[in-house]
Amino acid sequence: MAVTVKIQKWGNSQGIRIPKNIIDILDWDDTEVVEMSAQDGNLIIKPHKRKTIEELFANYDGTYEKETIDWGDPVGKEIW
């Protein structure tokens, strides 16, 4: 489905509105976080997928050693 929309001034930026029928087709709502990129003269908008801890460390080949950190004496009203 293709629709025509106008780029409009929005503060110091420009913006486009995504029509409701496209939002419904994509099953998005107003809390959706998206990634935008430009490729070969096209704007690509896709949902942002937060990586799991496993994905973040998938290529990590180092070793992990637990260490104790000395944060110093309490200052102010901290409770230790």
Side-chain angles (χ1 to χ4, degrees), residues 28 32-36 45-51:
W28 289 358
E32 195 74 39
V33 177
V34 297
E35 295 177 12
M36 292 183 5
I45 303 173
K46 60 184 181 179
H48 172 72
K49 180 181 177 262
R50 189 171 180 168
K51 292 184 178 183

Side-chain angles (χ1 to χ4, degrees), residues 72-78 80:
D73 295 327
V75 176
K77 297 181 180 180
E78 292 103 337
W80 293 89

Side-chain angles (χ1 to χ4, degrees), residues 16-35:
I16 59 169
R17 292 182 187 225
I18 303 172
K20 184 178 182 328
N21 59 338
I22 292 180
I23 295 293
D24 291 343
I25 290 168
L26 296 171
D27 196 28
W28 289 358
D29 61 31
D30 58 359
T31 63
E32 195 74 39
V33 177
V34 297
E35 295 177 12

